[in-house]
Amino acid sequence: MGRSADFCVNAYAKINLGLDVLRKREDGYHEVRMIMQTVRLHDRIWLRRRREPGICLESNLSFLPVDKSNLAYRAAALVMEEAGIREGLSIYLDKRIPVAAGMAGGSADCAAVLWGVNRIYRLGLSMEQLRERGVKLGADVPYCLLGGTALAEGIGERLTPLPPAPGKWILIAKPSIGLSTRYIYEHLRLDEKTDHPDIDGMEQAIRRKDYMGIVSRLGNVLESAALPGHPPIGKLKQALLAGGARGALMSGSGPTVFGFFDDIRQAKRTASLCCKQKLARQVFVTEFYHRKT
């Protein structure tokens, strides 16, 4: 397909400033409370209408599935079938967000395609209607449609937009190890000894524009399941802190780690060291992203 297209849309990655799991529900999902934040690191998606029926998905990554197992493909199919669209669609996914990294890359692509298909076919779906369809595909999709800073509850679909969180430079580093969400939740123990992050305090710090209040409350309950069996994640956190990060945390279900830096030069030096010491396979220095309203 190349990059000739009717429409191009960015799909932004997210990090979790705070992630707490309250309980396991009867339907198998987990009840969560999270503070979500988009960053400028993003995938780019080109969409092109075509006469031939069907969806054709291509990517710059050869190992990425390009069939119905890909959320971007499923997003297009869901909306097009519902609208009775008979012509075809070509999708080119330029993947930059690390795959299986706890940064909602697949959900971000899904959200971007939902938004893009609605736009190029002039379907007239509201943002709320897009979110209703998005949650059928993934719990993070409604948030990825919203973006910015938000409190997410339920399974992640109940969203409360928050004022833009203050932030400086964010170093994102993914180690070479893999980590499945299923493993994390199977090893997560929720009892009276569980150290839960202060989500309410984080929300209040964001509303006060209290940068250090945010940094001091970074917390992810899933680290308790991830770190014991995966030492590289802990080593990466320590490397970011030793490099000058104000705070460091695993994002989502991992294994990606991010750190807050006041100085971009310090962030870039630490990123370089993480690569040289083979603590991380992929590193990015970025900022928070807030859509203009």
Side-chain angles (χ1 to χ4, degrees), residues 127-154:
M127 186 59 70
E128 183 58 35
Q129 289 172 320
L130 289 175
R131 290 178 196 155
E132 289 172 358
R133 287 152 181 79
V135 75
K136 298 176 183 178
L137 300 168
D140 284 339
V141 177
Y143 166 73
C144 291
L145 283 160
L146 174 68
T149 312
L151 169 67
E153 299 175 282

Side-chain angles (χ1 to χ4, degrees), residues 197-275:
D198 183 8
I199 301 298
D200 290 335
M202 174 70 76
E203 179 182 352
Q204 292 165 12
I206 289 170
R207 293 187 183 280
R208 294 193 306 267
K209 302 291 184 183
D210 180 2
Y211 173 66
M212 289 308 300
I214 293 169
V215 171
S216 66
R217 290 176 174 83
L218 293 174
N220 183 349
V221 75
L222 299 182
E223 284 191 342
S224 63
L227 267 60
H230 301 84
I233 299 173
K235 290 180 180 178
L236 194 50
K237 281 189 66 177
Q238 290 304 313
L240 267 59
L241 293 169
R246 291 282 191 174
L249 190 70
M250 183 180 81
S251 184
S253 57
T256 299
V257 173
F258 66 88
F260 281 68
F261 285 80
D262 295 345
D263 187 329
I264 189 172
R265 293 169 298 179
Q266 200 173 35
K268 288 182 175 180
R269 282 196 299 267
T270 305
S272 179
L273 283 173
C274 286
C275 290

Side-chain angles (χ1 to χ4, degrees), residues 28-131:
Y29 287 96
H30 286 80
E31 193 84 16
V32 298
R33 292 191 80 224
M34 306 181 291
I35 303 290
M36 314 273 272
Q37 176 63 56
T38 43
V39 295
R40 289 193 176 275
L41 174 63
H42 61 271
D43 297 338
R44 299 201 76 188
I45 300 174
W46 282 265
L47 303 173
R48 188 182 72 218
R49 299 169 66 166
R50 59 178 195 165
R51 293 182 179 179
E52 302 84 358
I55 297 169
C56 176
L57 174 62
E58 297 178 87
S59 173
N60 62 314
L61 299 183
S62 60
F63 63 84
L64 205 69
V66 291
D67 56 14
K68 293 181 180 179
S69 62
N70 189 297
L71 280 176
Y73 186 110
R74 291 169 59 194
L78 174 67
V79 178
M80 292 172 69
E81 288 173 9
E82 181 184 85
I85 296 171
R86 295 183 179 180
E87 65 181 66
L89 179 71
S90 293
I91 305 171
Y92 182 80
L93 173 55
D94 184 10
K95 194 74 181 163
R96 298 293 177 226
I97 303 170
V99 176
M103 300 188 71
S107 294
D109 296 340
C110 178
V113 169
L114 285 173
W115 190 84
V117 170
N118 183 51
R119 175 82 174 266
I120 64 174
Y121 287 108
R122 300 179 182 179
L123 302 180
L125 296 172
S126 67
M127 186 59 70
E128 183 58 35
Q129 289 172 320
L130 289 175
R131 290 178 196 155

